[in-house]
Amino acid sequence: MTTSRSAPTAPRRRVPRAERERQMLEVAEEVFSERGYLASSMDEIAERVGVSKPMLYEYFGSKEGLLIACTQQARSELLRVTTTTALKGGTPEEMLRNGLTAYFEFIQTHGRAWLLLRTEGAFASPSAAAEMEASRAEHTNLIVASLSRFAPSESVGANLEPVAEVIVGGTERLAVWCQQHPEVSAEQAADLVMLLARGGLAELFAASPNRG
């Protein structure tokens, strides 16, 4: 008499830490955006990822730590795309338009990430709120650094920071409006900002040989 043998079970693939962390952040971003930070649970996030809740705590320390990691990731990616695109411009106007278009495109294609950064990150905890403020500061610095390349004098350069603050604040509010009006494209949203900024930029850089 012969006995049947079951086929050997294939060993489970060990998921690299970086890949596992990416999965956790992706699912957490999804859950936080769907339910809001306060209504989200580590149990649900762990279940969706397919890991134990203790593993989530091992990686991020707490639910707030997980939220902060998500907002840091969103902030980093937003800065990367806006910086890369802005620096392709050859004039102050081109650099600003490029950066604005990239900003609005990010919001359209990464709506969950931006919502998390602006809404959950702003109200869930002081540490998470600091991430949104840091994102604003980064984009203010990006505009100042980009436009400073064309400043015809130190006095012009000194005026760039308050101008950049106005642009960043206005752009953020327009982005909120655009989420309620999805028919407005990223290019159209950028045009609206440029409509207001163009005259000021032209006057500010009037003495520059590189004015656009």
Side-chain angles (χ1 to χ4, degrees), residues 150-169:
F150 302 92
S153 67
E154 290 187 8
S155 62
V156 169
N159 289 326
L160 289 177
E161 185 172 349
V163 169
E165 290 280 9
V166 170
I167 293 172
V168 168

Side-chain angles (χ1 to χ4, degrees), residues 12-134:
R12 296 182 63 182
R13 182 176 74 90
R14 182 178 177 83
V15 179
R17 183 179 179 89
E19 182 180 342
R20 178 66 77 195
E21 183 173 321
R22 179 191 59 76
Q23 293 171 346
M24 291 175 176
L25 290 173
E26 183 177 322
V27 171
E29 179 184 286
E30 180 179 272
V31 174
F32 288 147
S33 298
E34 287 176 2
R35 304 192 182 284
Y37 172 73
L38 295 178
S40 300
S41 72
M42 295 290 268
D43 291 286
E44 180 179 2
I45 295 170
E47 183 178 352
R48 288 201 197 183
V49 178
V51 300
S52 66
K53 186 166 71 169
M55 182 177 284
L56 276 181
Y57 282 100
E58 177 187 340
Y59 274 63
F60 301 103
S62 65
K63 187 170 80 166
E64 183 181 17
L66 180 55
L67 173 66
I68 292 170
C70 287
T71 55
Q72 286 176 338
Q73 176 176 262
R75 167 187 158 192
S76 176
E77 179 62 14
L78 178 58
L79 181 64
R80 184 190 68 79
V81 297
T82 52
T83 300
T84 300
T85 309
L87 293 180
K88 294 177 181 178
T91 67
E93 183 173 333
E94 286 177 0
M95 295 186 80
L96 182 57
R97 180 188 293 279
N98 288 350
L100 289 168
T101 302
Y103 181 91
F104 289 114
E105 285 177 347
F106 178 89
I107 292 165
Q108 290 179 347
T109 59
H110 298 76
R112 285 201 314 248
W114 191 78
L115 181 65
L116 187 68
L117 182 62
R118 188 186 180 279
T119 305
E120 294 304 322
F123 302 110
S125 74
S127 296
E131 289 298 316
M132 185 61 197
E133 188 56 35

Side-chain angles (χ1 to χ4, degrees), residues 132-164:
M132 185 61 197
E133 188 56 35
S135 181
R136 295 186 184 106
E138 286 173 340
H139 283 87
T140 295
N141 292 338
L142 171 61
I143 293 172
V144 171
S146 299
L147 299 185
S148 290
R149 298 166 54 186
F150 302 92
S153 67
E154 290 187 8
S155 62
V156 169
N159 289 326
L160 289 177
E161 185 172 349
V163 169

